Each structure stands twice: as structure tokens, then as C-alpha cells.
Amino acid sequence: MTATQETLVPFEEVLERYDPALGLEVHVELNTATKMFCGCPAAFGGEPNTHVCPTCLGLPGSMPAVNRKAVESAIRIGLALNCSIAEWCRFARKNYFYPDMPKNFQTSQYDEPICFDGYMDVEVDGETVRVEIERAHMEEDTGKSTHVGGATGRIHGADHSLVDYNRAGIPLIEIVTKPITGAGAKAPAVARAYVSQLRDLIVALGVSEARMDQGNLRADVNLSLAPKGSGVLGTRTETKNVNSFRSVERAVRFEMQRHAAILDAGRSILQETRHWHEDTGITTSGREKSDAEDYRYFPEPDLVPIAPSRGWVDELRGTLPENPTERRTRLQVEWGFSDLDMRDTVGAGALGLVEETVAAGASPQSARKWWLGELARRANDTGADIADLGVTPADVARVQALVDEGAINDKLARQVFDGLLAGEGTADEIVAARGLAIVSDEGALSAAVDAAIAANPDVAEKIREGKVAAAGALIGAVMKEMKGQADAGRVRELILEKLA
Ligand SMILES: [Zn+2]
């Protein structure tokens, strides 16, 4: 086991001596109605071991059949990633034993993936980085183990384990990049941008819920360092199941600093899988993994080869969403955003959210303001991605509509977001339940203005003399008295009327 307490090399220093190479493997759980090779429902959750049959339990004599919709989704993902689509390919058995895999092999693809040799152009800080895609192949998910009785939820220290096979056989697409070199100091940001923009694409294709927090989209992050300028690839580590965009970026950064410390000390990197710890921001050793690992792959004898006709592939090409680069350009023009506004929106992973909020009726500027300001800050506080906060674009549009109607102001809107994040109901319900509506009752406002004038005679005198700017102090006093819930515009009018 490698020590986890190496003194990390400062990030800038890593780049003085080493070139990083990244690799990303993303698993996407498809949203098909049924599983990959049987008719069991592919729905998330359910009572344990109720979405199962002889096929997905791997019972002797059961026969799998390929889910056409999953193949269709795989091809559409491949086309969107500019891949070639195989004219003929097969499934393969990847043999290994693990309790959550009832067949003792995973039906996957090996040397004949359905999609290969593609790319995705990713925008990072206003620059376009081309990420080459090696392959996208079809496979099935495993079941889910729960380790009971330990402190950490891991198998070590547990006194027994439970297995739920509801997830076994749910269709997955694994998308593997070629090594991404030359990113230098931007390597962590490139990794994050790739996963974030890949998710946008998956959502636009409509092939998966693509929620990282629910495991519909899972990223494994490979990283290696090579001596600067050497042009070779170093030994890599593979950090598994990093479950937010922010964590992807942090994990790459951490591994770069850790690798550099080991290499600086003249030791070698152990090729292994590693676990990411969200709370402490570090990775720890998983299991050793060599390239020669032998899964005894062989073509799956129970399934016929997949030979998608060119006609079908062309037909599916016609169903693709807008190319992401063109989409960004179009939205920037439609929204009237500056390059910087657009860059920040893409960087925050908020492009789709802003788009949906605008579709729900908000102005682009107000949609951007809430997502990149208030909501990004809260996501940052909790370590979640903004898309996973539980606040929807429709919620944000409704909050802004309440501001536009004068029912609440920006300050009160923040309290509405508190309520939305706490699951207190809709924006309107929260305004009612928390009593947040702005007071526009003339009697109450008038009384508060009179009280503020009486309490600040010198300020009132200045306003009478024509120094209208002094009204700000009285407006402030009224707002304070009314806990921010007064209509500031009307308060100003009343002050000026009374002191005319
Ligand atoms: Zn089944």
C-alpha cells in the first residue's frame, strides 16, 4: 500500500518538471425501459431483488437478447462524439468473480466496440481543446453491494454484506478517451470541462438521466506524469467513480501533486486504482492493476453479432441534437452575452440550466445571475454540482417572475432559495409560508416613513432643502424597520412627497 501522507508538491511546481497526461472513462447508464439483455425494468431503485429474472441473475439455461433501444442510444452517442460506427461487432465476456455480478462474467465489448475514433471539442477558459475519443462500447451494469456493520460502509470492518441485483444488467455505455496530453496547468480544468460538456451532450441526446449524484454518469480519472518535454507517457493511476464535476477537477489536481512527490523522491508510481474522498479531498490506494490483467475475454456465444445497417445509422444521424459548438455560438448571440459571460456560464456547467430557465420565461441575464451567483455559491458550499442542488430551472424562473412582479426583491429571493433547497415546496408556497411578500400596504408604509422622518430630523431637513440624495438614509431606516420587505420604490416616493 502506498503512503497517503506524502508531502504534496505545490501545483505550479509540478508543471516546472512534469507534463501531465489525462484519460477519462465515463460510464453512462441508459434510460431504456428494460435491461440490456432481458425484459426486466431498468428503473432506478425498487424493493431489492424485484427487478430480476433468470437471465440477469445468470441462471443456467437462460438466454440473453439484445435491447434494440440500447444499441440505438449507443450509436447516437457515438455519432454525437464524431465516432465511426462499426459495420459489424460483437459482445464479449469479461470474466471475473465478484458477488454483485451473478454470472461471474460481465457481458461487454472488447476488441470490437460499436463506436470508435471520435472526438469532442471542449471549451476551457474560452479556448477549444479537442479531446480524442478512443471508443464507446456497450456493456451491462453490475448489482449493488451494501456492507453492513462497519463504520465506513466499505467491506473492511463490516460484519455482513447484502446484494441487490436490480441494477444488474442495466445498459451502460462506456466512453473512453485517448490520452489527453499538452493540457499542462489546465489539465484539471480540461478534465472537468470534458465531463461536464459530455453530460450536456448526453442530456441533449435524451439517452440517460445523466445525474452524477445518482450514479447515472460515473467518471474514472486516469492520470500520469512524464518528465517535462520527454514526450513519453508515465505510469498511470485510475481514480474510480468520482461523482461531481468539481471532484473530477480536484482529483486530477491532487493526483498530479501526489505523483510529483513520489517521482521527486526517486520512487515509481504504482499502477493501481484509487478511491476519491470527497470530504478530505484526497485519494487513497485501491487495488493494484496491471495492463496484463487477464479477464479471459472471448466472444459471447449466446448473442448474435450487431450489424447496424448504414441506412439505420444515417437515420439516427438525422436525430442528433445541435452540435455543441454551434449551440454555444447561437445561444451567445440570442442571449447577448459577452465572451466572458459565456465563458463563465460554460465553465460553471450552467449552459443547459440557463437555457431551460430562459425557456421557462426568465431573461437570460437574470437566469445567469441566479445560477452563477447565489446557486453556484451554495453548490460550492456543499460540494454538489449546481445541476444536482434540487432547484430546477422552472423554480428559478418563478423566483425571478416574483421579483419582476414586485412581490419580492432580490434579498427576499435569497430566502426563497433557502426554502427551495430545504425542500419547503414551490417558490409561491415558500413566500406564503415564510411571510416574505413585500409590504405595499400604503397605511403601513406611510406610518414607517413618518417614524423614520421623526427619528432623523437632520436628514429630513437636508431633503427639504433639496438634497434628494439624502433620501437613501431614510429608505434604509424604513427597510430595516420592515425587515427588508418594503417596496423601496414606493418608500422613496412617499419620503419625497412628505418632505416636498
Ligand atoms: Zn432480467
Side-chain angles (χ1 to χ4, degrees), residues 168-180:
I170 288 184
L172 292 180
I173 304 298
E174 180 175 349
I175 303 161
V176 182
T177 67
K178 291 183 182 165
I180 306 163

Side-chain angles (χ1 to χ4, degrees), residues 35 37-41 51-57 168:
K35 291 185 178 181
F37 303 112
C38 64
C40 291
H51 302 168
V52 292
C53 72
T55 299
C56 57
L57 287 175

Side-chain angles (χ1 to χ4, degrees), residues 27 44 77 129 141 247 271 315 370 456:
H27 284 90
F44 178 79
I77 289 172
V129 177
D141 212 343
S247 301
Q271 187 167 331
E315 192 184 305
W370 292 121
N456 300 278

